Structures are given as C-alpha cells and as structure tokens.
Amino acid sequence: MFLLEIDLIFLLEKAILIGGIITVSLLIAMYSTWAERKVAAFMQDRIGPNRAGPGGLLQPLADGVKLFMKEEIIPNASNKFLFVLGPALAMMTAMMTSAVIPWGGKIEVFGRSVDLQIADINIGILYIFGVVSMGVYGIMIGGWASNNKFSLLAALRGASQMISYELAMGLSIIALLMLTGSLSMKTIVEQQVVGLWNIVYQPLGFLIFMICAFAECNRTPFDLPEAENELNFGYHQEYSSMKLGFYLFAEYINMFISSAVMATLYFGGYDIPFVNDANLANSIGVNGVAALQGLSLFAKVVGFIFFFMWVRWTIPRFRYDQLMNLGWKGLIPLALLNMLVTGALVLLKQNGWQF
Amino acid sequence: MQALTNRSKAVDRKPMTIWDKMYIPAIAKGMGVTLTHFFKKKATIKYPEEKRPFSPVFRGLHILNRDEEGRERCTACGLCAVACPAEAITMEAAERQPGEEHLYREEKYAAKYEINMLRCIFCGLCEEACPKDAIYLSETFAPANFARQTFIYGKNDLLIPDPKTEPELYQKAVGERGRKA
Ligand code: SF4
Ligand code: SF4
C-alpha cells in the first residue's frame, strides 16, 4: 500500500511536469511564429505584426482562430486516414523529444525533491535520435497521402535530406559522447555544471551538429521539402486549415526542441554561467536556484531560436545537389575527422599526457 | 561595351579558394548585414494612422467644382467627354430657368453628369480640357466597392459641397492643395 502511494505521487508529479512542458512548448511555438514575423520584419526594415494587441502580441491567437475557421479540404483521391495521420504524427514526434531534456535542477515541493525532467533515461540522446527520425514519417506520409506528385517529390526530398543529415549529426554526437562517457542528458548537463561547457571542447562538433539541426528542422537554408517555386509548396501543398497549421507548428516546436538540445549538449543546459550553483542554493534555496536555472536554459533556447530565424532571413535556400553534397561530402567526413581527433586526445589524456 | 553607370563591376570568374568554399566567412558577413538592418530606421508607414503625403501631381477622384457663391461651374459643353480617352464621361445638358441663377453659373448646365470610374484611367485630360475650371481631380483615392453599378459616379457623388452652406465639408473636399482655379 505504501509503495502504491509513492507511485501515485510520482505519477502525479510527472503528469504535471508533462502538462507543463507541453504547454510551454506550445506557447513558445506560438510566440515563435510571432517572433519569426517580427524578426523578418526588422531585418527588412519593416515593423511586422502590430495590429492585434500591443506590439501584435495577440497575433498568434488571431492566426490560430483563422486556421481553425478555414475550410477543411481533404482531396478526393487521397488516402484519408494517412492524410490526417501525417500532421498528427509530425506534431507528436515534435512534442515527444522534450521528455528527456532536463529543464532545471531539483525543486522541493512538500518535502519531496522533484527533478525537472520528465524521464532521466540513461539513453537520452539515443531516444532523441529515435524520435527525431520518426519525424520523417510525418512528412513522408503527408506527401504520400496527398496523392500529388509535387507533394510526393517534396516528401522524398525531405526524407532523404533528413536521413542524410542524421548521419552527420550522429557522428558529431559520438565525439561528444567520447568526452562525456554518458548518453544521459542529465549526466551531460551535470558534468558541464561542474566543468566547462562542451562547446569549449567540441567547437567543430557543435558546428556540424547545428548545421544538421537546421536540416532536421527543415529550416532555411535547408527547407527543401517546401520549395514553393519548384514544388508549388512542398509536402503540405494539399493541406488546408489547421492540418496545415499543425505541420507549420511542428516545425516551430522542432526548432524549440533542437534549440533546447543544442543548449543542453553544448552550452551547459540549465547551468548558470559563472555561478556556482551549489553555493547559490545555500543563499536562495533550492527552488530559487531551479527557477534561475530554468531561466538560464530558457535564455539560451531563445538565443538559439533567434539564431535560427536570423539565419533564415539571411541565407538563401540551397540547391538540392548542393545540400546533398554538403551533407555527404562535407559534413560526414568532417564529423569523422572530429571523432578521430577527439578519440586520439581522449586516449592521450587517459595515458597521462598533460595539456 | 560602355558602362551605363559608374556602379557596374566586372564579374569575378576566379575559381573559389578553400576559404571561399567554406562559406562560413561569407555567411558571417551576410548575417552581419542583416543584423545591422535590425536596428535601422523602419520604412513602414502605419497606414490608417499615418498617411503618405501625396505628390502635388497626384490624380484621384474627380470633383465637380462650384464658384465662390456656390454655383455649379459646369456648362455642359461636353469638352471633357470629348477629351476623355477612356470615354468615361457622359452628360445631359439642360437650360437654366429664370430663378435658378443662384444654382448654375452659365445658361446651360449638366442635368446629368456621370463618370464611370471603372473606365477612367485618371489621366486628368478632362481637367485640362475644361474651359470653366469645373472639373478637377482631387486627392481622394478611388474607393473599393462590391457592385459594378456603384462605380458610376453621378452628380451627387461628384459635386463638391457648397462653400456657403457647408464650408467645412467644402474645405475637406478641396483638400490640402487648396482650391484650383
Ligand atoms: S481622368 Fe481621363 S479617363 Fe478619367 S474621366 Fe477624365 S479624361 Fe476621362
Ligand atoms: S466639366 Fe468642364 S469640360 Fe466638362 S462639360 Fe462641364 S464645363 Fe465642359
């Protein structure tokens, strides 16, 4: 009986955490659409949305209402089940990744110490890779079910792009794993909290990882599944109303999550720079530290999201062969090289070399 | 070939160096450019609150003018209709009756005066043709509407408000540029 009680509280705690994180991701994705338009506007000497609410802050709501009100069209010749499944899958895989990201240290509620992480599984990174590669299905199914050759072509492009860039991404991560010796996101962050951030050890790895993250999120300059001038609109051409909204939304959630992953893996996660968290906990309490840690991660994530947008409004889209060229002939050999050098250095260090 | 401007540059066809091929410096430079634009002055005009000032030669909707005493100037001579390249103007003339001198300035006036705004190309030739300074193009935009019929502007749409009885409306219709003629 006693055991069951503990489990219930544990379940409740996780349920609240999951609800909270999903809400936060959705909110951030919503406001990313607003921020995207603002950033685009500012970089083009415009003002951007400013009609709905102060500074256009209600714009995402207005967009949402608009998308829900629009007519739902499902093409006659499409496979209805798959057609609906596509955006749902895209949305779901986008949301699932957030489970293994540690959003902060511990907080204490009613004497219980609660981890701000949904699941601290010891294969955290592998889980992320697994789920992210499922995202291909969202695009592929959407493109296939539309029964439109342009959509299918775009979906094929998207799938091959995501698969090729996942290779380089995985290879760049291996170098990181050699240093950390753990796949658990929490352990990786904790190592960075006491030591230096991984970006110091792995600048090249981070660069490769970031480029691949851009490609995985289908963000410009790698947004080839949506090239409107060659493929009409890409895999979501036949989609209307909120189903289209989900696809677009999934992209923003993906962006948020990959920002969080990049921050976690390379930029110390919830680590507050130049502050000793343990000392801070003595003065402002564990909960205060957790709040600050959450803010710190949030700031890093916002920074990355801004970077995503900044790149989008600067760099033109790659040509498809250039994209494949970069992925296979550029990034994968580079990642392998990075792995080799890191491996050599780790080996030297283990054998007592000082540098 | 002689260059048209002094800004033209010869295209560089040198093969790219390794440094160029990495793209990273070029990308960083580009990102710098976009970031400076982040802080530049915005070119946007917030339309309903702010309006772009019209150029002095702007040609908007037509106005049928009155003189200082509020009498219609048009004498239905038809010169504007003849001058109109789009054949947008139609009118019917009528003779001024005794006792109507305060309404019409000349012995003949336009009983019906219509401009089809869907045909009009806002060239302003009617304005130039008019010997009586009766028609001119104001600074109002051609407004949107749902039915074609509503774009045929009759006299009550065109006639400027009476400066005597409705001086404020008259001033508004005359607009910033002041009254012509
Ligand atoms: S502006 Fe030109 S087209 Fe329009 S009514 Fe006058 S003459 Fe005709
Ligand atoms: S508007 Fe001028 S040109 Fe046209 S009919 Fe009247 S007086 Fe003649």
Side-chain angles (χ1 to χ4, degrees):
Chain A
M1 197 60 223
F2 183 67
L3 273 176
L4 194 66
E5 220 168 304
I6 294 274
D7 272 348
L8 272 182
I9 295 177
F10 180 75
L11 279 183
L12 187 71
E13 160 196 318
K14 290 299 178 200
I16 292 176
L17 206 56
I18 291 173
I21 287 169
I22 287 184
T23 320
V24 169
S25 329
L26 287 177
L27 267 178
I28 289 191
M30 253 169 86
Y31 276 94
S32 302
T33 62
W34 170 83
E36 174 97 67
R37 294 170 65 177
K38 274 286 185 196
V39 168
F42 273 70
M43 288 185 173
Q44 297 167 350
D45 298 343
R46 296 183 286 117
I47 293 177
N50 64 348
R51 291 286 133 183
L57 274 179
L58 298 180
Q59 191 68 43
L61 287 183
D63 287 342
V65 169
K66 186 190 87 177
L67 281 175
F68 273 116
M69 295 294 170
K70 281 197 164 180
E71 192 185 355
E72 288 259 1
I73 298 170
I74 299 184
N76 271 339
S78 70
N79 181 330
K80 302 228 166 28
F81 175 68
L82 290 182
F83 193 77
V84 178
L85 185 68
L89 212 60
M91 197 73 176
M92 201 179 72
T93 49
M95 303 288 319
M96 266 165 59
T97 345
S98 61
V100 293
I101 295 171
W103 301 97
K106 288 180 192 321
I107 53 170
E108 272 180 15
V109 193
F110 305 123
R112 277 176 62 86
S113 132
V114 179
D115 273 337
L116 286 181
Q117 184 182 18
I118 294 175
D120 178 18
I121 45 178
N122 52 9
I123 50 152
I125 295 176
L126 289 187
Y127 170 83
I128 289 186
F129 271 74
V131 175
V132 162
S133 43
M134 288 248 299
V136 169
Y137 284 102
I139 290 182
M140 203 57 217
I141 288 179
W144 170 258
S146 304
N147 201 0
N148 172 329
K149 46 182 166 292
F150 290 111
S151 304
L152 184 62
L153 269 175
L156 274 176
R157 268 187 177 195
S160 47
Q161 162 187 337
M162 283 170 97
I163 290 166
S164 358
Y165 275 76
E166 216 151 273
L167 283 172
M169 197 179 207
L171 289 176
S172 70
I173 280 290
I174 289 178
L176 182 71
L177 295 183
M178 287 175 178
L179 288 173
T180 58
S182 168
L183 283 161
S184 151
M185 302 286 266
K186 189 147 195 97
T187 319
I188 293 177
V189 172
E190 274 161 4
Q191 282 175 354
Q192 295 180 75
V193 170
V194 286
L196 286 172
W197 289 359
N198 285 333
I199 176 79
V200 182
Y201 305 116
Q202 282 289 320
L204 183 62
F206 170 69
L207 193 69
I208 298 169
F209 188 84
M210 193 178 63
I211 295 173
C212 295
F214 272 84
E216 289 280 301
C217 296
N218 297 323
R219 290 287 296 184
T220 325
F222 304 112
D223 58 344
L224 285 150
E226 314 180 9
E228 64 276 359
N229 37 12
E230 312 142 56
L231 295 168
N232 289 316
F233 263 108
Y235 62 94
H236 53 52
Q237 191 193 4
E238 301 286 355
Y239 283 87
S240 56
S241 165
M242 204 56 206
K243 288 203 289 304
L244 171 68
F246 276 146
Y247 267 131
L248 304 184
F249 220 66
E251 179 186 323
Y252 283 97
I253 299 177
N254 274 333
M255 201 162 84
F256 166 59
I257 298 292
S258 45
S259 301
V261 171
M262 283 193 283
T264 307
L265 291 183
Y266 290 96
F267 280 82
Y270 55 73
D271 181 30
I272 312 164
F274 311 117
V275 173
N276 188 333
D277 293 10
N279 286 350
L280 197 64
N282 291 334
S283 53
I284 60 168
V286 185
N287 288 355
V289 172
L292 282 184
Q293 286 175 333
L295 272 184
S296 157
L297 179 63
F298 188 74
K300 288 170 197 169
V301 167
V302 168
F304 273 117
I305 291 181
F306 173 73
F307 188 74
F308 266 99
M309 291 173 179
W310 186 10
V311 167
R312 169 163 180 187
W313 296 103
T314 304
I315 304 173
R317 181 182 291 138
F318 274 65
R319 222 170 48 210
Y320 196 67
D321 59 315
Q322 291 173 334
L323 170 102
M324 281 295 162
N325 215 7
L326 179 66
W328 288 94
K329 295 194 199 151
L331 293 182
I332 291 179
L334 256 182
L336 281 171
L337 185 75
N338 186 37
M339 214 168 95
L340 204 71
V341 172
T342 315
L345 289 181
V346 168
L347 205 63
L348 287 178
K349 194 165 176 117
Q350 275 172 359
N351 288 311
W353 278 48
Q354 294 300 322
F355 46 83
Chain B
M1 206 179 77
Q2 199 191 341
L4 289 176
T5 63
N6 55 5
R7 292 196 301 275
S8 63
K9 274 186 207 156
V11 179
D12 187 4
R13 298 220 184 267
K14 272 195 300 248
M16 288 198 287
T17 59
I18 295 279
W19 188 244
D20 291 337
K21 274 191 195 149
M22 267 174 33
Y23 290 116
I24 305 276
I27 287 175
K29 205 171 133 202
M31 307 265 288
V33 170
T34 38
L35 198 66
T36 55
H37 276 272
F38 211 81
F39 305 104
K40 283 221 174 106
K41 201 174 153 286
K42 310 296 168 211
T44 311
I45 290 177
K46 296 180 185 153
Y47 167 60
E49 293 97 46
E50 275 170 47
K51 286 191 180 124
R52 189 189 288 273
F54 287 127
S55 104
V57 292
F58 181 82
R59 296 192 290 250
L61 285 177
H62 309 64
I63 271 179
L64 274 180
N65 211 355
R66 296 176 190 267
D67 67 2
E68 308 73 36
E69 291 151 49
R71 299 178 297 184
E72 287 176 23
R73 280 170 167 270
C74 175
T75 180
C77 64
L79 285 177
C80 51
V82 174
C84 177
E87 302 190 359
I89 304 179
T90 43
M91 75 186 67
E92 265 166 34
E95 210 166 315
R96 183 178 71 183
Q97 303 300 315
E100 285 181 339
E101 282 86 357
H102 64 291
L103 289 179
Y104 313 109
R105 191 160 134 143
E106 315 285 338
E107 291 92 62
K108 210 171 79 177
Y109 69 95
K112 193 176 133 213
Y113 191 103
E114 285 179 353
I115 303 183
N116 186 341
M117 292 299 171
L118 291 175
R119 304 200 66 156
C120 175
I121 52 171
F122 299 95
C123 62
L125 289 182
C126 46
E127 184 181 5
E128 268 174 46
C130 182
K132 300 287 178 189
D133 284 329
I135 189 160
Y136 71 86
L137 303 186
S138 67
E139 2 186 275
T140 347
F141 278 113
N145 224 320
F146 288 109
R148 295 185 82 82
Q149 202 55 37
T150 49
F151 284 103
I152 298 177
Y153 280 38
K155 240 172 102 171
N156 40 355
D157 302 309
L158 295 168
L159 212 51
I160 199 165
D162 195 322
K164 279 209 165 139
T165 55
E166 298 162 308
E168 279 160 38
L169 285 178
Y170 173 78
Q171 276 308 326
K172 208 176 149 203
V174 162
E176 294 289 307
R177 277 184 279 165
R179 190 171 146 195
K180 285 195 181 174

